[in-house]
């Protein structure tokens, strides 16, 4: 029966390997930052807006909980800031104002030397823009949009004296 066992192993071993590989795809990474990246990728890969919002909410919460980075680790600091930037873009794309503001505030709190860190500096500029846009959106939802200007008052083509004379003359003609 050893030959039967070998035949069975030959069939089952590749299946077990495939099952292991598939299980690894759905396994959770160890660190909070890696888990946030996974949630962001899931959000970007889904079409359903409710699932995308849930995944983005989880990603922001996970990254909020991630431990602070050491001051001397510039590469990790840059990567964390760029991750906040990606989250910001995904949240703003769906017009999730509260999440966009959270991401923008986290990104803007990042100390950056704009001369040496151009990508982070640009990400912070985009965060300022997104933050301003969320405020405009909030005002618009309350009916107080700052971008809507009142209509200019009607100005007659006729000179003011002629217009007054026409009104007075029209009133006299009506009474006569």
């Amino acid at each position: 029966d050893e030959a039967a066992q070998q035949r069975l192993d030959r069939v089952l071993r590749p299946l077990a390997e495939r099952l292991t590989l598939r299980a690894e795809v759905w396994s959770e990474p160890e660190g909070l930052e890696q888990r946030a990246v996974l949630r962001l990728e899931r959000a970007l890969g889904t079409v359903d807006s409710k699932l995308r919002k849930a995944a983005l909410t989880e990603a922001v919460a996970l990254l909020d909980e991630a431990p602070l980075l050491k001051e001397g680790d510039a590469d990790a600091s840059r990567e964390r800031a760029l991750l906040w930037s990606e989250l910001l873009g995904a949240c703003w794309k769906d017009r999730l104002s509260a999440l966009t503001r959270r991401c923008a505030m986290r990104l803007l709190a990042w100390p950056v030397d704009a001369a040496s860190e151009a990508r982070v500096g640009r990400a912070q500029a985009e965060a300022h823009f997104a933050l301003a846009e969320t405020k405009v959106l909030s005002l618009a939802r309350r009916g107080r949009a700052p971008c809507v200007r009142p209509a200019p008052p009607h100005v007659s083509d006729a000179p003011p004296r002629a217009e007054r004379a026409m009104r007075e003359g029209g009133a006299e003609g009506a009474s006569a």
Side-chain angles (χ1 to χ4, degrees), residues 71-90:
E71 266 187 58
D73 199 357
D75 291 336
S77 180
R78 181 184 327 102
E79 292 304 315
R80 176 80 59 92
L82 293 175
L83 179 56
W84 275 116
S85 174
E86 287 182 48
L87 276 169
L88 172 86

Side-chain angles (χ1 to χ4, degrees), residues 6 9 23 25 38 46 72 84 106 119 129 149:
Q6 288 176 350
D9 283 346
V25 168
L38 181 64
T46 187
W84 275 116
R106 296 292 189 271
R119 289 174 55 195
F129 174 78
R149 294 189 177 102

Side-chain angles (χ1 to χ4, degrees), residues 96-169:
L96 302 172
S97 295
L99 289 176
T100 301
R101 281 193 295 274
R102 277 177 65 185
C103 292
M105 296 309 291
R106 296 292 189 271
L107 185 56
L108 292 173
W110 221 264
V112 65
D113 177 21
S116 64
E117 296 290 338
R119 289 174 55 195
V120 176
R122 179 176 180 188
Q124 285 185 337
E126 290 172 353
H128 279 292
F129 174 78
L131 195 57
E133 287 294 313
T134 60
K135 290 179 181 178
V136 168
L137 189 61
S138 173
L139 288 171
R141 286 181 179 153
R142 287 186 275 165
R144 302 183 69 202
C147 56
V148 179
R149 294 189 177 102
H154 175 69
V155 177
S156 173
D157 293 337
R161 288 184 185 163
E163 190 175 326
R164 195 174 320 124
M166 286 175 37
R167 273 189 271 147
E168 290 173 3

Side-chain angles (χ1 to χ4, degrees), residues 21-96:
L21 288 173
R22 287 187 181 193
E24 286 176 4
V25 168
W26 292 102
S27 66
E28 285 290 320
E30 295 279 327
L32 291 172
E33 192 168 337
Q34 290 84 12
R35 289 170 52 196
V37 169
L38 181 64
R39 296 299 192 291
L40 175 62
E41 289 173 358
R42 285 182 186 166
L44 295 175
T46 187
V47 180
D48 184 18
S49 63
K50 290 180 182 179
L51 290 175
R52 197 169 38 249
K53 180 180 180 181
L56 288 171
T57 303
E58 287 178 24
V60 169
L62 286 169
L63 204 53
D64 267 343
E65 294 173 13
L68 296 175
L69 298 171
K70 297 176 185 170
E71 266 187 58
D73 199 357
D75 291 336
S77 180
R78 181 184 327 102
E79 292 304 315
R80 176 80 59 92
L82 293 175
L83 179 56
W84 275 116
S85 174
E86 287 182 48
L87 276 169
L88 172 86
C91 292
W92 179 240
K93 181 180 176 186
D94 286 348
R95 298 300 190 257
L96 302 172

